[in-house]
Amino acid sequence: MAESTSGLDTLELDAKLKKYRLNRHELGLITEILGREPQGVEWALFSALWSEHCSYKSSKVHLKKLFSRSKRVVEGFGENAGVVDLGQGERVAFKIESHNHPSFIEPYQGAATGVGGILRDIFTMGARPIALADYLCFGEPAAPRMRQLLDGVVRGIGGYGNCVGVPTVTGQTEFHESYNDNILVNAMAVGLFAEGERVFLSKARGAGNWVVYAGAKTGRDGVHGASMASESFEADSAAKRPTVQIGDPFFEKLLIESCLEVMAQDLVVAIQDMGAAGLTSSSFEMASKGGVGLRIDLDEVPLRDPTMTPEDVLLSESQERMLLICEPAKFAAIQAIFHRWGLDACKIGEVRDERLVELAWRGETICRIDPDALVERAPQYMRAYKPWKARNRVGGEAEVSTGVEDGARFLLSLMGHARGTSREWIYKQYDSRVGAKTVRDCSDSVAVLRLPGSGRGLGIVLGCRPHVMRWDAREGGIDAVAYPAIELASKGFEPLAVTDCLNYGNPEKEPVMSEFVASVEGMSSVCEKLDAPIISGNVSFYNETMGRNITSTPATGLIGLRADVDGVPASRFTREGETVFALRLPMAAIGGAAQELTRQPATGYGQLEPSLIAPFTRLLLSLTGARPGGPIVGSSRVVGKFGLAYALARMCEGGVGCRIDDEKLKTVRGELSVDDLFREHLYEVILTATPGKDAELEAAVREARGALAMAAFLPIGRTGGRALEIGSLLRSPLDLLAQAYGTGVWARMETGSDKTGEVRA
Amino acid sequence: MSRRVGVLRFPGTNCDRDVWQAVEMAGDRPEWLWHADRFDAAAYDALYLPGGFSYGDYLRSGALAARAPAMRSVREAADRGVPVLGVCNGFQILTEARLLPGALVKNQSLRFNDDWVELEMKNPVPHFAGPVGPGARVRLPVAHADGRYYVEDDELKRLQDNGQIWFTYVKNPNGSVADIAGVKSEKGNVAALMPHPERAMRNWMGGSDGFAFFKGRG
């Protein structure tokens, strides 16, 4: 590339490559594909579609290996969202997606348009959105801008989701210093196809068919957004505000209703939303997937600003816009539906047999290019990485110290700490019941919706625990699927399928890429054993600011199915006098989140074995699922961050305490110390038997355990009283715990105090 | 006898399908009424204005919807004594249309609030919440940002004197004047409340106190 045929000197060329965020190697590839150097808008097209965000160029070689098929999968990767068949005529579409960079630049709009974008991916398929979930990672609350970011993100999610009328039913919120300069905002949406409703795809078909633009007009917002999201942050993130899109949930609501109506009347051949890289990605992808060409007249695109250039029009990420392919005879009916909902729909082009996308502007053809060149032929990089090696391992239990001596005091400080306190302040700002399907909401560990057709339960849960990732990327990847799968099973839901949002730092750095490969392999191996394929998702690289990378965070969303919604175990103790049991699958133990707070080095021992996860979930399901004689499990909780004492404290939230027998605990755990109450044993589930069902529960475990001899099951105590008592190790009155948990960090958020909860070991 | 019930739909209404389902659960026959169209005010046994964000709540919650053509028919129906129930945004629309007194302004917290609340009935509206009498308590979900009921002191006194306060909150979630959660018109056939009875129709929803609001007269 020493000589440039376009006559650019080296300096000019470098400037151009920088503007379009391409490198010399990629320019060489483009030149080879085109047989000449790119010209005019082609620069912008390649910049957008070959960006990391659109092309997955650093991850594709690894994503191809993901476990992604099962007999239930109707649509997987490659479409706007994955679709799973639930049987009995019901299908769901779901996906999780990141909006990290925009949310850090402008939290309200960044989060709001994240919600809007993921909803469009769902209703584009023909499914009515029925639930939203959010996976959020913030820095330390005292970090610069953090309160404003948290407040803006929460308001943005609520402002959009509440208005479009899709309930937010679950979420996860993390705080850690690695997100101080790069927060994560991942939104998941679930949509439902009722019996007989068709799945719509984005494959353009049929020469002579029309390309129809529907929804909001195109403005300058979000131009170059996709390539912005594919770059690390330097110190100038505020200067990138113009690349953030502005959302209008009212418009989205109208778009949902009109699109679903158009699809219900079978008026479209193919449909796709204009998301990242706007009209460019939607049109080129539709053509490429359909194996056809398109001619698009950019002058027909409705504009907010007549001075926009063709490049602006192509790259605008204005929200709430859709691209449809229809037969010419059906256009009038489509237009009538959009008009009825107060929206515009207009023809902007036609489908052609010849596999070329032709763009016209002011009467001239400004581009004629094979869509596959942009969509299929982006480079795929095998970034340097090292094979996984277990790390941060110690010999045994004694060395996994959290350093905690005064258990009651430490527990109380956890309940008020940002990482342990109630998320009520967040989720009370979200409408959790619109749609009238919500059975269990954000206050529960698993969200439950009732499917209106069959009356069955749909469970939704998010996963990935960053503190486990910080201990070990492979184990963290396994845990990102295993932990939520066990949570589903603890409520009687069979895990069916997974969506993932892979948030990582700079893939060009070997440690980051090594964690990526190890964790994705870990995730996929559990998915395979569970027969719960990964059917959709996205990758967000370059979560790096001024050289600092975030904790590798492969967020997951799982859905599960249950035969009814009546016998779902509670997440809190509901009755006095129930026997408390511990069900354990001891594979590994870590100092975990408590260790991080007491500033001990992260340590652990053991290793997670993916092949044991599936029998463990089956064992749980045999206890917690719908049973002819009524439920035998009254309440359940998976022991998670901060270990057993914190899990029990959370189960006492309903006002019913418990008394744990330390001798029995010793039998089941093999050790007894204050320290151990805050270690995380992977995996451990607390269950209570419904009144009079102790023997039946024990018999059911005996019967089902056959395949999993290493699982331990023992009674450890009884519910009742107004305190959490663990033998002589810990005693905490419930009113004190509730006070610390309920007020926590949020009161200080509102008043602006910098104190974020102190932890005392 | 099943009733013919009109359910109003404005652009941005988002509880329409939930109200439709609730009307069906109660054994009545729902029909859509579109914001842009007038309808026969004598044709319906009851009218429901569901919650949501009509016209995006631009300008003020309910302000644009109150001026929609369909609302002229709602007014005619109200004048004829047809029972009209507004829920959440439906309440906001009815106050903006001056079919009910007062106004709904931003919550005291300045934030959206999703929760379950307990309500106490002050004066019955027999068309809705049927046989339940004064002093009775019901538990329903709320989900709103603009749910703080406001009236001037003299108007509040008039509401109290006329027995127009339908429900009050047991624990005020939004700063409403006199804890008011729902009011009714002087004639008593137009009524509205901020909480969502259509979200509490069955035990699996978390409660079934909402069912009575759709059952009609005792």
Side-chain angles (χ1 to χ4, degrees):
Chain A
M1 202 51 51
E3 281 297 308
S4 167
T5 50
S6 53
L8 294 172
D9 66 29
T10 311
L11 274 179
E12 282 171 342
L13 184 63
D14 281 344
K16 195 154 193 177
L17 287 169
K18 188 164 192 290
K19 178 183 173 192
Y20 290 104
R21 297 176 174 105
L22 292 164
N23 61 37
R24 278 171 179 264
H25 165 72
E26 287 163 350
L27 179 60
L29 281 177
I30 295 167
T31 308
E32 202 181 299
I33 291 169
L34 298 177
R36 56 172 169 78
E37 281 201 356
Q39 298 162 353
V41 293
E42 288 170 354
W43 277 95
L45 298 177
F46 279 100
S47 168
L49 284 172
W50 282 24
S51 68
E52 187 68 57
H53 191 78
C54 291
S55 73
Y56 295 91
K57 58 191 172 190
S58 298
S59 56
K60 215 169 197 171
V61 289
H62 302 287
L63 298 181
K64 281 179 188 163
K65 293 183 280 187
L66 289 179
F67 176 71
S68 61
R69 288 278 144 205
S70 83
K71 60 180 191 311
R72 290 185 183 273
V73 178
V74 179
E75 289 297 331
F77 281 100
E79 276 304 329
N80 289 296
V83 178
V84 171
D85 193 339
L86 304 178
Q88 303 188 22
E90 291 163 330
R91 285 166 299 172
V92 287
F94 69 101
K95 186 183 184 182
I96 188 168
E97 207 164 62
S98 62
H99 231 215
N100 305 335
H101 284 71
S103 301
F104 188 70
I105 297 169
E106 209 302 290
Y108 185 98
Q109 290 299 339
T113 55
V115 171
I118 194 65
L119 287 172
R120 281 193 294 287
D121 279 339
I122 299 303
F123 69 78
T124 294
M125 307 286 297
R128 176 172 285 276
I130 58 168
L132 284 165
D134 307 291
Y135 185 97
L136 310 176
C137 295
F138 296 101
E140 297 163 302
R145 286 183 73 215
M146 205 47 67
R147 278 203 304 266
Q148 177 215 337
L149 287 169
L150 174 57
D151 184 55
V153 165
V154 171
R155 281 182 192 271
I157 291 169
Y160 208 99
N162 298 346
C163 182
V164 293
V166 181
T168 298
V169 294
T170 189
Q172 185 172 330
T173 308
E174 299 285 339
F175 293 92
H176 188 263
E177 60 184 356
S178 83
Y179 307 108
N180 277 2
D181 300 307
N182 192 320
I183 61 170
L184 301 185
V185 176
N186 297 176
M188 172 176 171
V190 181
L192 177 67
F193 297 91
E195 187 155 11
E197 284 177 348
R198 202 185 120 191
V199 177
F200 283 82
L201 304 179
S202 57
K203 295 182 180 80
R205 276 186 288 113
N209 282 343
W210 287 12
V211 180
V212 175
Y213 173 112
K217 287 184 168 53
T218 296
R220 284 183 202 273
D221 43 338
V223 172
H224 289 294
S227 48
M228 174 275 290
S230 306
E231 211 179 34
S232 301
F233 278 140
E234 299 304 331
D236 62 342
S237 64
K240 291 186 173 166
R241 230 167 256 147
T243 55
V244 175
Q245 317 85 324
I246 307 295
D248 182 345
F250 172 57
F251 230 94
E252 178 103 334
K253 171 66 175 163
L254 304 178
L255 204 56
I256 293 176
E257 298 304 331
S258 47
C259 287
L260 289 179
E261 204 170 314
V262 161
M263 288 188 265
Q265 296 186 20
D266 219 356
L267 298 173
V268 294
V269 171
I271 179 167
Q272 167 134 343
D273 71 303
M274 293 188 227
L279 180 59
T280 300
S281 65
S282 52
S283 56
F284 280 84
E285 283 173 18
M286 288 181 93
S288 172
K289 282 180 196 162
V292 295
L294 301 176
R295 181 179 165 84
I296 291 179
D297 192 348
L298 296 176
D299 295 300
E300 299 299 325
V301 174
L303 300 182
R304 284 209 297 265
D305 174 354
T307 67
M308 288 175 73
T309 65
E311 190 173 309
D312 292 342
V313 176
L314 283 164
L315 292 188
S316 161
E317 293 188 5
S318 289
Q319 299 288 293
E320 293 97 22
R321 302 179 301 158
M322 304 292 275
L323 204 61
L324 287 64
I325 307 292
C326 75
E327 291 166 20
K330 293 187 173 167
F331 175 72
I334 290 174
Q335 202 176 32
I337 289 172
F338 279 102
H339 280 172
R340 186 174 134 83
W341 286 100
L343 301 179
D344 280 332
C346 61
K347 179 193 174 190
I348 62 165
E350 279 188 15
V351 179
R352 293 176 164 191
D353 277 331
E354 194 185 5
R355 297 188 65 166
L356 286 173
V357 173
E358 233 179 65
L359 302 173
W361 175 255
R362 306 273 144 92
E364 274 179 54
T365 299
I366 56 167
C367 170
R368 248 171 87 82
I369 193 165
D370 177 354
D372 290 346
L374 286 147
V375 178
E376 292 295 326
R377 295 181 65 186
Q380 290 182 22
Y381 295 127
M382 178 59 89
R383 305 278 192 201
Y385 70 95
K386 282 204 175 107
W388 174 78
K389 251 174 68 186
R391 59 191 182 97
N392 301 326
R393 294 303 204 283
V394 292
E397 297 181 10
E399 293 158 76
V400 186
S401 173
T402 58
V404 178
E405 285 168 7
D406 185 338
R409 195 172 72 174
F410 186 66
L411 178 60
L412 202 59
S413 59
L414 290 180
M415 301 302 273
H417 189 273
R419 290 186 54 186
T421 202
S422 169
R423 269 61 179 136
E424 194 179 86
W425 181 87
I426 295 177
Y427 63 71
K428 272 194 166 177
Q429 299 186 51
Y430 305 149
D431 190 336
S432 64
R433 314 199 108 72
V434 60
K437 296 180 189 65
T438 307
V439 182
R440 295 285 178 86
D441 57 24
C442 298
S443 64
D444 238 284
S445 54
V446 170
V448 180
L449 299 183
R450 184 180 177 276
L451 295 167
S454 63
R456 293 178 297 170
L458 182 73
I460 305 170
V461 63
L462 297 177
C464 182
R465 301 188 295 161
H467 69 274
V468 185
M469 285 297 299
R470 284 189 286 274
W471 171 55
D472 185 301
R474 177 184 174 272
E475 310 290 39
I478 293 173
D479 182 79
V481 176
Y483 186 82
I486 294 169
E487 282 189 298
L488 280 173
S490 76
K491 303 295 176 197
F493 290 83
E494 182 195 353
L496 292 188
V498 180
T499 180
D500 63 8
C501 189
L502 305 170
N503 306 277
Y504 291 78
N506 184 342
E508 296 161 48
K509 295 189 174 160
E510 189 186 83
V512 171
M513 205 58 207
S514 302
E515 294 203 345
F516 179 84
V517 175
S519 51
V520 167
E521 280 175 3
M523 288 169 65
S524 184
S525 61
V526 188
C527 290
E528 191 169 354
K529 301 293 182 195
L530 288 168
D531 197 28
I534 300 173
I535 61 157
S536 62
N538 93 320
V539 181
S540 170
F541 276 130
Y542 298 99
N543 290 289
E544 177 193 47
T545 300
M546 292 187 281
R548 285 191 304 279
N549 288 298
I550 58 157
T551 302
S552 298
T553 312
T556 55
L558 275 67
I559 59 154
L561 190 63
R562 179 185 165 101
D564 66 15
V565 295
D566 298 324
V568 182
S571 291
R572 296 169 187 87
F573 299 134
T574 55
R575 278 178 291 259
E576 306 244 336
E578 287 187 351
T579 307
V580 182
F581 293 88
L583 177 64
R584 309 183 80 233
L585 177 70
M587 292 186 284
I590 57 175
Q595 217 170 29
E596 289 189 339
L597 293 191
T598 57
R599 305 197 185 284
Q600 312 283 316
T603 53
Y605 61 89
Q607 193 165 312
L608 297 178
E609 179 44 66
S611 65
L612 295 177
I613 307 296
F616 190 61
T617 57
R618 280 197 296 275
L619 168 59
L620 262 171
L621 282 170
S622 70
L623 315 176
T624 54
R627 293 172 74 94
I632 55 174
V633 173
S635 53
S636 65
R637 184 167 203 103
V638 186
V639 178
K641 66 179 176 191
F642 305 126
L644 180 69
Y646 179 79
L648 288 169
R650 298 289 309 278
M651 293 189 88
C652 294
E653 271 169 38
V656 177
C658 72
R659 192 172 196 152
I660 303 300
D661 181 331
D662 42 8
E663 281 310 309
K664 284 182 174 154
L665 199 58
K666 194 172 176 179
T667 323
V668 68
R669 292 190 142 207
E671 204 221 350
L672 201 61
S673 69
V674 169
D675 195 29
D676 190 52
L677 298 179
F678 298 95
R679 289 179 200 153
E680 300 173 29
H681 293 262
L682 310 177
Y683 290 101
E684 187 168 34
V685 182
I686 304 299
L687 303 164
T688 65
T690 49
K693 300 283 189 181
D694 288 21
E696 202 178 321
L697 179 59
E698 285 174 297
V701 173
R702 273 197 304 277
E703 193 182 315
R705 198 171 55 181
L708 197 61
M710 66 183 291
F713 183 74
L714 269 179
I716 56 167
R718 290 189 89 71
T719 62
R722 294 283 303 156
L724 163 62
E725 268 186 71
I726 306 178
S728 58
L729 298 177
L730 184 153
R731 187 179 188 284
S732 299
L734 297 195
D735 49 357
L736 277 184
L737 292 175
Q739 196 190 359
Y741 188 69
T743 50
V745 74
W746 312 116
R748 295 186 288 271
M749 276 285 303
E750 294 279 3
T751 56
S753 153
D754 271 338
K755 281 193 150 180
T756 55
E758 283 179 27
V759 176
R760 290 181 295 179
Chain B
M1 258 292 281
S2 92
R3 300 179 304 168
R4 185 178 177 192
V5 174
V7 179
L8 276 97
R9 279 186 123 177
F10 301 90
T13 300
N14 65 25
C15 302
D16 42 348
R17 297 154 59 87
D18 306 353
V19 165
W20 177 281
Q21 172 184 286
V23 169
E24 282 188 336
M25 280 178 178
D28 289 332
R29 291 169 287 133
E31 281 176 34
W32 293 129
L33 297 173
W34 186 244
H35 70 108
D37 303 329
R38 301 288 305 265
F39 59 89
D40 179 359
Y44 295 92
D45 299 315
L47 298 173
Y48 282 84
L49 279 71
F53 290 72
S54 54
Y55 299 91
D57 274 358
Y58 293 137
L59 191 58
R60 276 191 317 276
S61 304
L64 294 171
R67 285 145 185 90
M71 285 305 292
R72 295 216 294 275
S73 304
V74 171
R75 187 181 302 279
E76 286 169 22
D79 289 344
R80 301 173 68 105
V82 174
V84 179
L85 176 68
V87 173
C88 200
N89 194 225
F91 191 178
Q92 293 159 347
I93 295 168
L94 289 171
T95 58
E96 283 286 345
R98 308 311 300 159
L99 284 164
L100 287 173
L104 291 143
V105 299
K106 199 156 269 317
N107 292 349
Q108 204 158 34
S109 66
L110 304 181
R111 292 183 188 277
F112 192 93
N113 180 38
D114 176 281
D115 210 344
W116 285 84
V117 295
E118 205 177 359
L119 305 176
E120 188 175 311
M121 183 184 280
K122 291 296 171 191
N123 297 283
V125 177
H127 305 291
F128 310 108
V132 188
R137 290 194 169 187
V138 292
R139 202 174 146 268
L140 296 176
V142 285
H144 57 245
D146 297 339
R148 181 182 184 184
Y149 188 73
Y150 182 78
V151 277
E152 296 288 340
D153 289 346
D154 53 339
E155 191 147 29
L156 175 64
K157 187 166 184 310
R158 200 155 53 238
L159 291 182
Q160 287 163 337
D161 292 347
N162 292 346
Q164 282 179 255
I165 299 173
W166 187 16
F167 282 104
T168 55
Y169 298 106
V170 174
K171 188 167 166 264
N172 193 335
N174 52 25
S176 289
V177 165
D179 302 327
I180 290 171
V183 296
K184 60 176 178 168
S185 62
E186 255 183 87
K187 269 165 60 186
N189 63 314
V190 180
L193 77 172
M194 283 313 291
H196 288 271
E198 80 281 6
R199 299 184 185 184
M201 299 292 289
R202 297 275 189 262
N203 284 334
W204 62 259
M205 293 179 172
S208 58
D209 289 353
F211 197 83
F213 289 77
F214 295 91
K215 265 197 329 200
R217 198 178 289 269

